[in-house]
Structure formats: C-alpha cells, structure tokens
PDB file of all heavy atoms in Angstrom:
ATOM      1  N   TYR A 281     -33.328-175.015-144.904  1.00  0.00           N
ATOM      2  CA  TYR A 281     -34.372-174.183-144.296  1.00  0.00           C
ATOM      3  C   TYR A 281     -34.878-174.931-143.075  1.00  0.00           C
ATOM      4  O   TYR A 281     -34.461-176.052-142.797  1.00  0.00           O
ATOM      5  CB  TYR A 281     -35.495-173.934-145.304  1.00  0.00           C
ATOM      6  CG  TYR A 281     -36.218-175.171-145.763  1.00  0.00           C
ATOM      7  CD1 TYR A 281     -37.352-175.630-145.086  1.00  0.00           C
ATOM      8  CD2 TYR A 281     -35.744-175.914-146.866  1.00  0.00           C
ATOM      9  CE1 TYR A 281     -38.012-176.782-145.519  1.00  0.00           C
ATOM     10  CE2 TYR A 281     -36.386-177.055-147.261  1.00  0.00           C
ATOM     11  CZ  TYR A 281     -37.511-177.513-146.595  1.00  0.00           C
ATOM     12  OH  TYR A 281     -38.164-178.638-146.985  1.00  0.00           O
ATOM     13  N   TYR A 282     -35.726-174.240-142.313  1.00  0.00           N
ATOM     14  CA  TYR A 282     -36.303-174.841-141.086  1.00  0.00           C
ATOM     15  C   TYR A 282     -37.775-175.099-141.330  1.00  0.00           C
ATOM     16  O   TYR A 282     -38.477-174.243-141.932  1.00  0.00           O
ATOM     17  CB  TYR A 282     -36.154-173.933-139.893  1.00  0.00           C
ATOM     18  CG  TYR A 282     -34.729-173.607-139.555  1.00  0.00           C
ATOM     19  CD1 TYR A 282     -34.171-172.419-139.972  1.00  0.00           C
ATOM     20  CD2 TYR A 282     -33.957-174.469-138.782  1.00  0.00           C
ATOM     21  CE1 TYR A 282     -32.866-172.059-139.647  1.00  0.00           C
ATOM     22  CE2 TYR A 282     -32.644-174.127-138.438  1.00  0.00           C
ATOM     23  CZ  TYR A 282     -32.090-172.951-138.879  1.00  0.00           C
ATOM     24  OH  TYR A 282     -30.776-172.622-138.566  1.00  0.00           O
ATOM     25  N   THR A 283     -38.299-176.182-140.851  1.00  0.00           N
ATOM     26  CA  THR A 283     -39.738-176.378-140.732  1.00  0.00           C
ATOM     27  C   THR A 283     -40.106-176.182-139.282  1.00  0.00           C
ATOM     28  O   THR A 283     -39.516-176.826-138.403  1.00  0.00           O
ATOM     29  CB  THR A 283     -40.156-177.773-141.215  1.00  0.00           C
ATOM     30  OG1 THR A 283     -39.796-177.908-142.574  1.00  0.00           O
ATOM     31  CG2 THR A 283     -41.675-177.938-141.095  1.00  0.00           C
ATOM     32  N   LEU A 284     -41.043-175.257-139.029  1.00  0.00           N
ATOM     33  CA  LEU A 284     -41.456-174.975-137.663  1.00  0.00           C
ATOM     34  C   LEU A 284     -42.851-175.557-137.481  1.00  0.00           C
ATOM     35  O   LEU A 284     -43.761-175.253-138.303  1.00  0.00           O
ATOM     36  CB  LEU A 284     -41.453-173.487-137.478  1.00  0.00           C
ATOM     37  CG  LEU A 284     -41.828-173.036-136.043  1.00  0.00           C
ATOM     38  CD1 LEU A 284     -40.705-173.319-135.088  1.00  0.00           C
ATOM     39  CD2 LEU A 284     -42.149-171.538-136.037  1.00  0.00           C
ATOM     40  N   GLU A 285     -43.018-176.379-136.480  1.00  0.00           N
ATOM     41  CA  GLU A 285     -44.352-176.919-136.214  1.00  0.00           C
ATOM     42  C   GLU A 285     -44.736-176.539-134.771  1.00  0.00           C
ATOM     43  O   GLU A 285     -43.883-176.634-133.872  1.00  0.00           O
ATOM     44  CB  GLU A 285     -44.320-178.452-136.278  1.00  0.00           C
ATOM     45  CG  GLU A 285     -43.994-178.975-137.683  1.00  0.00           C
ATOM     46  CD  GLU A 285     -43.931-180.500-137.718  1.00  0.00           C
ATOM     47  OE1 GLU A 285     -43.864-181.130-136.650  1.00  0.00           O
ATOM     48  OE2 GLU A 285     -43.980-181.035-138.848  1.00  0.00           O
ATOM     49  N   TYR A 286     -45.977-176.083-134.589  1.00  0.00           N
ATOM     50  CA  TYR A 286     -46.399-175.771-133.223  1.00  0.00           C
ATOM     51  C   TYR A 286     -47.883-176.077-133.061  1.00  0.00           C
ATOM     52  O   TYR A 286     -48.666-175.947-134.013  1.00  0.00           O
ATOM     53  CB  TYR A 286     -46.065-174.329-132.825  1.00  0.00           C
ATOM     54  CG  TYR A 286     -46.704-173.253-133.708  1.00  0.00           C
ATOM     55  CD1 TYR A 286     -47.832-172.559-133.285  1.00  0.00           C
ATOM     56  CD2 TYR A 286     -46.147-172.948-134.954  1.00  0.00           C
ATOM     57  CE1 TYR A 286     -48.377-171.541-134.080  1.00  0.00           C
ATOM     58  CE2 TYR A 286     -46.718-171.974-135.753  1.00  0.00           C
ATOM     59  CZ  TYR A 286     -47.838-171.263-135.280  1.00  0.00           C
ATOM     60  OH  TYR A 286     -48.396-170.315-136.095  1.00  0.00           O
ATOM     61  N   ALA A 287     -48.238-176.485-131.870  1.00  0.00           N
ATOM     62  CA  ALA A 287     -49.626-176.866-131.579  1.00  0.00           C
ATOM     63  C   ALA A 287     -49.846-176.772-130.077  1.00  0.00           C
ATOM     64  O   ALA A 287     -48.899-176.987-129.286  1.00  0.00           O
ATOM     65  CB  ALA A 287     -49.910-178.280-132.027  1.00  0.00           C
ATOM     66  N   PRO A 288     -51.080-176.453-129.652  1.00  0.00           N
ATOM     67  CA  PRO A 288     -51.375-176.533-128.222  1.00  0.00           C
ATOM     68  C   PRO A 288     -51.138-177.979-127.722  1.00  0.00           C
ATOM     69  O   PRO A 288     -51.555-178.920-128.407  1.00  0.00           O
ATOM     70  CB  PRO A 288     -52.820-176.161-128.127  1.00  0.00           C
ATOM     71  CG  PRO A 288     -53.167-175.502-129.422  1.00  0.00           C
ATOM     72  CD  PRO A 288     -52.254-176.085-130.428  1.00  0.00           C
ATOM     73  N   THR A 289     -50.489-178.127-126.572  1.00  0.00           N
ATOM     74  CA  THR A 289     -50.215-179.446-126.019  1.00  0.00           C
ATOM     75  C   THR A 289     -51.507-180.284-125.917  1.00  0.00           C
ATOM     76  O   THR A 289     -51.498-181.477-126.181  1.00  0.00           O
ATOM     77  CB  THR A 289     -49.583-179.320-124.618  1.00  0.00           C
ATOM     78  OG1 THR A 289     -48.474-178.433-124.741  1.00  0.00           O
ATOM     79  CG2 THR A 289     -49.119-180.642-124.083  1.00  0.00           C
ATOM     80  N   ALA A 290     -52.575-179.626-125.521  1.00  0.00           N
ATOM     81  CA  ALA A 290     -53.829-180.345-125.296  1.00  0.00           C
ATOM     82  C   ALA A 290     -54.516-180.701-126.624  1.00  0.00           C
ATOM     83  O   ALA A 290     -55.398-181.578-126.636  1.00  0.00           O
ATOM     84  CB  ALA A 290     -54.770-179.466-124.462  1.00  0.00           C
ATOM     85  N   GLU A 291     -54.165-180.031-127.701  1.00  0.00           N
ATOM     86  CA  GLU A 291     -54.837-180.332-128.986  1.00  0.00           C
ATOM     87  C   GLU A 291     -53.813-180.451-130.106  1.00  0.00           C
ATOM     88  O   GLU A 291     -53.701-179.574-130.954  1.00  0.00           O
ATOM     89  CB  GLU A 291     -55.795-179.190-129.315  1.00  0.00           C
ATOM     90  CG  GLU A 291     -56.851-178.904-128.288  1.00  0.00           C
ATOM     91  CD  GLU A 291     -57.649-177.670-128.606  1.00  0.00           C
ATOM     92  OE1 GLU A 291     -58.555-177.764-129.445  1.00  0.00           O
ATOM     93  OE2 GLU A 291     -57.336-176.621-128.036  1.00  0.00           O
ATOM     94  N   PRO A 292     -53.096-181.560-130.122  1.00  0.00           N
ATOM     95  CA  PRO A 292     -52.048-181.742-131.159  1.00  0.00           C
ATOM     96  C   PRO A 292     -52.585-181.667-132.568  1.00  0.00           C
ATOM     97  O   PRO A 292     -51.847-181.350-133.501  1.00  0.00           O
ATOM     98  CB  PRO A 292     -51.432-183.119-130.859  1.00  0.00           C
ATOM     99  CG  PRO A 292     -52.125-183.614-129.631  1.00  0.00           C
ATOM    100  CD  PRO A 292     -53.156-182.675-129.184  1.00  0.00           C
ATOM    101  N   ALA A 293     -53.862-181.916-132.723  1.00  0.00           N
ATOM    102  CA  ALA A 293     -54.434-181.915-134.086  1.00  0.00           C
ATOM    103  C   ALA A 293     -54.476-180.523-134.691  1.00  0.00           C
ATOM    104  O   ALA A 293     -54.602-180.346-135.897  1.00  0.00           O
ATOM    105  CB  ALA A 293     -55.857-182.478-134.080  1.00  0.00           C
ATOM    106  N   ARG A 294     -54.383-179.490-133.840  1.00  0.00           N
ATOM    107  CA  ARG A 294     -54.397-178.119-134.338  1.00  0.00           C
ATOM    108  C   ARG A 294     -53.021-177.597-134.708  1.00  0.00           C
ATOM    109  O   ARG A 294     -52.746-176.425-134.613  1.00  0.00           O
ATOM    110  CB  ARG A 294     -55.045-177.196-133.275  1.00  0.00           C
ATOM    111  CG  ARG A 294     -56.525-177.391-133.175  1.00  0.00           C
ATOM    112  CD  ARG A 294     -57.139-176.493-132.091  1.00  0.00           C
ATOM    113  NE  ARG A 294     -56.726-175.100-132.253  1.00  0.00           N
ATOM    114  CZ  ARG A 294     -56.793-174.207-131.285  1.00  0.00           C
ATOM    115  NH1 ARG A 294     -57.195-174.541-130.086  1.00  0.00           N
ATOM    116  NH2 ARG A 294     -56.418-172.950-131.518  1.00  0.00           N
ATOM    117  N   LYS A 295     -52.168-178.537-135.122  1.00  0.00           N
ATOM    118  CA  LYS A 295     -50.794-178.204-135.452  1.00  0.00           C
ATOM    119  C   LYS A 295     -50.728-177.255-136.631  1.00  0.00           C
ATOM    120  O   LYS A 295     -51.442-177.422-137.625  1.00  0.00           O
ATOM    121  CB  LYS A 295     -50.013-179.486-135.754  1.00  0.00           C
ATOM    122  CG  LYS A 295     -48.554-179.242-136.060  1.00  0.00           C
ATOM    123  CD  LYS A 295     -47.759-180.513-135.967  1.00  0.00           C
ATOM    124  CE  LYS A 295     -47.879-181.306-137.256  1.00  0.00           C
ATOM    125  NZ  LYS A 295     -47.046-182.523-137.212  1.00  0.00           N
ATOM    126  N   ARG A 296     -49.853-176.259-136.532  1.00  0.00           N
ATOM    127  CA  ARG A 296     -49.583-175.369-137.655  1.00  0.00           C
ATOM    128  C   ARG A 296     -48.127-175.502-138.043  1.00  0.00           C
ATOM    129  O   ARG A 296     -47.270-175.757-137.196  1.00  0.00           O
ATOM    130  CB  ARG A 296     -49.876-173.907-137.259  1.00  0.00           C
ATOM    131  CG  ARG A 296     -51.376-173.692-137.074  1.00  0.00           C
ATOM    132  CD  ARG A 296     -51.670-172.194-136.978  1.00  0.00           C
ATOM    133  NE  ARG A 296     -52.103-171.848-135.617  1.00  0.00           N
ATOM    134  CZ  ARG A 296     -52.339-170.619-135.212  1.00  0.00           C
ATOM    135  NH1 ARG A 296     -52.150-169.597-136.043  1.00  0.00           N
ATOM    136  NH2 ARG A 296     -52.723-170.352-133.994  1.00  0.00           N
ATOM    137  N   THR A 297     -47.864-175.353-139.327  1.00  0.00           N
ATOM    138  CA  THR A 297     -46.505-175.538-139.846  1.00  0.00           C
ATOM    139  C   THR A 297     -46.090-174.283-140.619  1.00  0.00           C
ATOM    140  O   THR A 297     -46.932-173.663-141.306  1.00  0.00           O
ATOM    141  CB  THR A 297     -46.489-176.743-140.794  1.00  0.00           C
ATOM    142  OG1 THR A 297     -46.981-177.871-140.084  1.00  0.00           O
ATOM    143  CG2 THR A 297     -45.079-177.056-141.253  1.00  0.00           C
ATOM    144  N   GLN A 298     -44.841-173.938-140.489  1.00  0.00           N
ATOM    145  CA  GLN A 298     -44.303-172.751-141.172  1.00  0.00           C
ATOM    146  C   GLN A 298     -42.916-173.065-141.664  1.00  0.00           C
ATOM    147  O   GLN A 298     -42.181-173.784-140.994  1.00  0.00           O
ATOM    148  CB  GLN A 298     -44.247-171.625-140.148  1.00  0.00           C
ATOM    149  CG  GLN A 298     -44.615-170.267-140.697  1.00  0.00           C
ATOM    150  CD  GLN A 298     -44.772-169.280-139.532  1.00  0.00           C
ATOM    151  OE1 GLN A 298     -45.403-169.606-138.505  1.00  0.00           O
ATOM    152  NE2 GLN A 298     -44.229-168.092-139.667  1.00  0.00           N
ATOM    153  N   GLN A 299     -42.574-172.557-142.822  1.00  0.00           N
ATOM    154  CA  GLN A 299     -41.159-172.733-143.307  1.00  0.00           C
ATOM    155  C   GLN A 299     -40.414-171.451-143.074  1.00  0.00           C
ATOM    156  O   GLN A 299     -40.942-170.372-143.293  1.00  0.00           O
ATOM    157  CB  GLN A 299     -41.155-173.111-144.774  1.00  0.00           C
ATOM    158  CG  GLN A 299     -41.490-174.575-144.964  1.00  0.00           C
ATOM    159  CD  GLN A 299     -41.149-175.070-146.345  1.00  0.00           C
ATOM    160  OE1 GLN A 299     -40.647-174.318-147.187  1.00  0.00           O
ATOM    161  NE2 GLN A 299     -41.452-176.314-146.616  1.00  0.00           N
ATOM    162  N   VAL A 300     -39.168-171.582-142.626  1.00  0.00           N
ATOM    163  CA  VAL A 300     -38.351-170.432-142.288  1.00  0.00           C
ATOM    164  C   VAL A 300     -37.000-170.589-142.983  1.00  0.00           C
ATOM    165  O   VAL A 300     -36.415-171.650-142.990  1.00  0.00           O
ATOM    166  CB  VAL A 300     -38.096-170.377-140.744  1.00  0.00           C
ATOM    167  CG1 VAL A 300     -37.410-169.056-140.370  1.00  0.00           C
ATOM    168  CG2 VAL A 300     -39.403-170.523-139.984  1.00  0.00           C
ATOM    169  N   SER A 301     -36.540-169.507-143.571  1.00  0.00           N
ATOM    170  CA  SER A 301     -35.255-169.505-144.285  1.00  0.00           C
ATOM    171  C   SER A 301     -34.125-169.917-143.356  1.00  0.00           C
ATOM    172  O   SER A 301     -34.136-169.623-142.160  1.00  0.00           O
ATOM    173  CB  SER A 301     -35.013-168.107-144.842  1.00  0.00           C
ATOM    174  OG  SER A 301     -33.603-167.811-144.819  1.00  0.00           O
ATOM    175  N   GLY A 302     -33.126-170.562-143.880  1.00  0.00           N
ATOM    176  CA  GLY A 302     -31.971-171.004-143.106  1.00  0.00           C
ATOM    177  C   GLY A 302     -31.186-169.839-142.507  1.00  0.00           C
ATOM    178  O   GLY A 302     -30.382-170.035-141.604  1.00  0.00           O
ATOM    179  N   ALA A 303     -31.392-168.659-143.051  1.00  0.00           N
ATOM    180  CA  ALA A 303     -30.644-167.490-142.535  1.00  0.00           C
ATOM    181  C   ALA A 303     -31.189-166.996-141.199  1.00  0.00           C
ATOM    182  O   ALA A 303     -30.512-166.256-140.506  1.00  0.00           O
ATOM    183  CB  ALA A 303     -30.704-166.366-143.563  1.00  0.00           C
ATOM    184  N   HIS A 304     -32.423-167.383-140.870  1.00  0.00           N
ATOM    185  CA  HIS A 304     -33.046-166.851-139.618  1.00  0.00           C
ATOM    186  C   HIS A 304     -32.581-167.589-138.387  1.00  0.00           C
ATOM    187  O   HIS A 304     -32.309-168.778-138.421  1.00  0.00           O
ATOM    188  CB  HIS A 304     -34.586-167.031-139.712  1.00  0.00           C
ATOM    189  CG  HIS A 304     -35.233-166.039-140.659  1.00  0.00           C
ATOM    190  ND1 HIS A 304     -34.868-164.731-140.770  1.00  0.00           N
ATOM    191  CD2 HIS A 304     -36.236-166.224-141.534  1.00  0.00           C
ATOM    192  CE1 HIS A 304     -35.620-164.140-141.669  1.00  0.00           C
ATOM    193  NE2 HIS A 304     -36.468-165.013-142.158  1.00  0.00           N
TER     194      HIS A 304
END
C-alpha cells in the first residue's frame, strides 16, 4: 500500500497522513 504524507511547506507540523491501496 502507499502512505501519503502532505503538509504546507511553511508549516511542516501540520502534516496529514493517508493510506492508499496499492491498486490506486
């Protein structure tokens, strides 16, 4: 599966994480 992490460049502490199926 994939782990997706994203955050505003200016505020890395606001990172959000999502798991995505390997089929996507």
Side-chain angles (χ1 to χ4, degrees):
Y281 61 93
Y282 300 98
T283 299
L284 182 73
E285 297 178 344
Y286 60 102
T289 307
E291 303 173 81
R294 287 178 52 199
K295 182 163 83 177
R296 290 192 248 174
T297 305
Q298 217 169 316
Q299 284 194 0
V300 188
S301 145
H304 286 319

